[in-house]
Amino acid sequence: MKNRNKYSPDFKLQVVKEYLNSDKSLSDVASKNGIPSPHTLHKWVKTYEESGYDDNVFNSKKGRP
């Protein structure tokens, strides 16, 4: 069984902004930051864009309170 990587909200935001502010591909930015799949980064970018570029989008808690 595969271990899932947990990334901090600050790390996600930093990597997404790095991608959006550069002319590098998703694959380049993902591999540079140790993210095994560019698809993961794509999901983060999509989430960030759909939030209206809200810097707190990755800080939300999931699950029951």
Side-chain angles (χ1 to χ4, degrees), residues 37-48:
S37 171
H39 180 68
T40 301
L41 178 54
H42 173 73
K43 289 190 300 187
W44 296 349
V45 170
K46 185 176 178 183
T47 300
Y48 185 63

Side-chain angles (χ1 to χ4, degrees), residues 4-20 29 33 35 40-45 47-48 54-60 62:
R4 292 182 62 146
N5 292 328
K6 293 256 182 178
Y7 299 102
S8 74
D10 293 334
F11 176 77
K12 291 179 183 180
L13 183 62
Q14 178 252 317
V15 174
V16 167
K17 285 186 173 185
E18 178 183 338
Y19 168 71
L20 292 174
V29 175
N33 288 286
I35 302 166
T40 301
L41 178 54
H42 173 73
K43 289 190 300 187
W44 296 349
V45 170
T47 300
Y48 185 63
D54 178 11
D55 286 355
N56 293 316
V57 70
F58 299 116
N59 289 324
S60 65
K62 292 184 180 179

